[in-house]
Amino acid sequence: GLFMVQYSEVEGIVLNLLTVLLSFYTVIKNTLLHTAGMKRQAVCRHLAMAVLVPALGMVLAVTSAVANAIFLDSLHSPMSWYTHSSLVLPLYFLPSLFALAAPLYIFTACKSNKLCDGIQAQMYCNGIQMIWSVLLLLATIAGIRSAYILMLVVLIPGLANFLLLLCKRNQSVPVWLCGFLASALFPAFYTIYLSILFMQVFIPVT
């Protein structure tokens, strides 16, 4: 990298916890704004679905990647993608992306709530942010030092979400989605960069 940020373990824990609190606040605030006038039970149901549906997509995405790996292993070609890196796209990325998006599409198409598609998309984005926040909290409690990766994934979208709330842009679905998704680009590319670096370092050894 071009630079290095150094801080103590205690400072890292405090930063992680503050990030989690900020994320929880923005998610809950957005949920309450979009479900204004609804009963508490309905609000909890919407929030739960916003978390569970993306979580199901993540599980299916991981399952599809593992299934592809098992299939390639049965063909005695588990490392075929290593010499042909272009195979990563059709073998792993596209199936995982489809598996990730399938529950979102199905539950949105078959929804039985009063939220419009745009608001539902915002709820799903908040649900994904909540999932990463919970993972960051668990990693911090477990004392995992590499939790800073999750911190970046949560912090930048959380700050963007907070700024959108301050500017009262959360009611405009296109503006909110563009701002939130733009804020997620850096964490996404950084995570991809670390994943590629990890594979380049360790796979030749194994």
Side-chain angles (χ1 to χ4, degrees), residues 82-188:
Y82 187 69
T83 53
H84 301 85
S85 57
S86 59
L87 291 177
V88 173
L89 185 65
L91 287 177
Y92 292 101
F93 180 76
L94 291 180
S96 297
L97 186 62
F98 177 79
L100 186 64
L104 301 177
Y105 175 79
I106 293 173
F107 279 90
T108 301
C110 303
K111 69 176 184 176
S112 58
N113 56 56
K114 299 179 181 179
L115 300 179
C116 66
D117 290 342
I119 299 299
Q120 191 67 60
Q122 284 184 260
M123 293 290 291
Y124 284 145
C125 289
N126 284 319
I128 294 171
Q129 182 180 329
M130 179 70 80
I131 293 172
W132 289 119
S133 301
V134 171
L135 292 177
L136 174 59
L137 179 61
L138 294 176
T140 303
I141 294 174
I144 301 175
R145 296 192 176 186
S146 56
Y148 76 91
I149 300 175
L150 293 175
M151 185 270 293
L152 291 175
V153 174
V154 176
L155 177 61
I156 299 177
L159 287 174
N161 209 344
F162 183 71
L163 291 175
L164 289 168
L165 280 171
L166 285 181
C167 299
K168 298 181 179 180
R169 295 295 183 180
N170 56 300
Q171 297 297 336
S172 175
V173 174
V175 173
W176 189 93
L177 286 176
C178 288
F180 185 85
L181 294 177
S183 70
L185 288 178
F186 173 76

Side-chain angles (χ1 to χ4, degrees), residues 20-78:
V20 170
L21 290 176
L22 174 67
S23 179
F24 283 169
Y25 169 78
T26 56
V27 169
I28 294 174
K29 184 69 174 178
N30 269 317
T31 301
L32 293 177
L33 288 174
H34 294 317
T35 57
M38 295 185 183
K39 295 182 179 180
R40 183 178 301 178
Q41 184 178 4
V43 174
C44 293
R45 184 174 66 252
H46 284 302
L47 181 58
M49 290 299 295
V51 173
L52 292 177
V53 173
L56 175 61
M58 292 179 180
V59 172
L60 291 177
V62 173
T63 303
S64 69
V66 173
N68 283 339
I70 294 174
F71 176 72
L72 290 175
D73 188 58
S74 67
L75 298 178
H76 305 289
S77 302

